[in-house]
Amino acid sequence: MPASLVTITNKTDRKASYAVQVDFVDARGHVVETRYTGAEDLEPGKRQQPIVFSRKPPEPKLTARLAKAQRY
């Protein structure tokens, strides 16, 4: 099961929340699966590292790619 460690760091001076989209792509660069993660109410200067798991089988090999990240 492919997985990716996502590092979310609050570089602002106030508490913030983040939404992150991770695409798992095949060798040709085609998106096979999209997964989401995030961090809520992250204090200034703090970091969270959620792990995003693909639900696809281990073959063919997939690569995780950050598609979007948004602070709210």
Side-chain angles (χ1 to χ4, degrees):
M1 175 182 320
S4 179
L5 178 68
V6 177
T7 301
I8 302 169
T9 305
N10 183 357
K11 295 183 180 181
T12 71
D13 60 354
R14 348 185 133 154
K15 192 183 288 190
S17 297
Y18 298 84
V20 179
Q21 175 184 330
V22 177
D23 289 339
F24 287 89
V25 297
D26 63 15
R28 292 183 166 175
H30 296 118
V31 176
V32 175
E33 182 178 21
T34 299
R35 304 290 292 171
Y36 300 91
T37 191
E40 291 188 9
D41 300 324
L42 198 57
E43 295 290 338
K46 296 297 180 180
R47 175 175 71 169
Q48 284 188 14
Q49 292 185 299
I51 299 174
V52 179
F53 293 94
S54 169
R55 292 181 279 182
K56 300 295 182 185
E59 294 297 328
K61 182 174 170 62
L62 300 177
T63 301
R65 179 175 66 194
L66 176 65
K68 293 180 190 175
Q70 182 174 356
R71 182 177 62 234
Y72 60 95

